[in-house]
């Protein structure tokens, strides 16, 4: 048996996605787990977690009004 793990962004409709996955051909069962286990969180070092937090803060500080969103290439990159 093969399992696929999917991580959803905050605010995603997990019950809808669970039903959609359950209705796919070949799927036996789909379960929703609300929290990550401690073992998964412990694998990231404190230094790495600090770097990740700094990068997230940096990305949240970008002023989108300064970016030319009329350019097709810029729009593509910003939507990734």
């Amino acid at each position: 048996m093969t399992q696929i793990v999917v991580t959803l962004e905050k605010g995603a409709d997990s019950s809808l996605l669970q039903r959609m996955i359950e209705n796919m051909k070949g799927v036996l069962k789909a379960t929703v787990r609300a929290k990550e286990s401690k073992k998964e969180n412990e694998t990231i070092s404190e230094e790495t977690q600090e770097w990740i937090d700094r990068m997230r803060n940096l990305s949240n500080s970008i002023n989108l009004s300064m970016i030319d969103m009329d350019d097709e290439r810029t729009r593509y990159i910003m939507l990734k």
Side-chain angles (χ1 to χ4, degrees):
M1 175 172 47
T2 303
Q3 293 183 340
I4 299 174
V5 178
V6 177
T7 304
L8 303 176
E9 64 183 15
K10 287 183 181 180
D13 189 351
S14 59
S15 61
L16 172 65
L17 291 168
Q18 179 184 8
R19 287 192 312 258
M20 290 172 60
I21 292 169
E22 285 173 341
N23 288 326
M24 291 178 168
K25 184 178 180 178
V27 174
L28 298 176
K29 178 176 79 170
T31 58
V32 175
R33 197 172 40 170
K35 275 186 162 180
E36 293 179 358
S37 68
K38 284 188 175 183
K39 287 182 182 177
E40 290 173 342
N41 288 336
E42 290 173 354
T43 59
I44 298 175
S45 71
E46 191 172 313
E47 182 180 309
T48 303
Q49 188 59 48
E50 288 176 15
W51 184 83
I52 291 171
D53 292 340
R54 280 186 278 150
M55 292 301 108
R56 285 186 178 148
N57 289 337
L58 179 63
S59 70
N60 290 336
S61 68
I62 295 173
N63 183 356
L64 295 178
S65 66
M66 304 282 293
I67 299 170
D68 179 17
M69 292 300 286
D70 293 330
D71 181 49
E72 182 180 320
R73 294 169 292 183
T74 304
R75 220 177 16 254
Y76 173 80
I77 292 170
M78 293 302 291
L79 293 174
K80 291 294 173 186

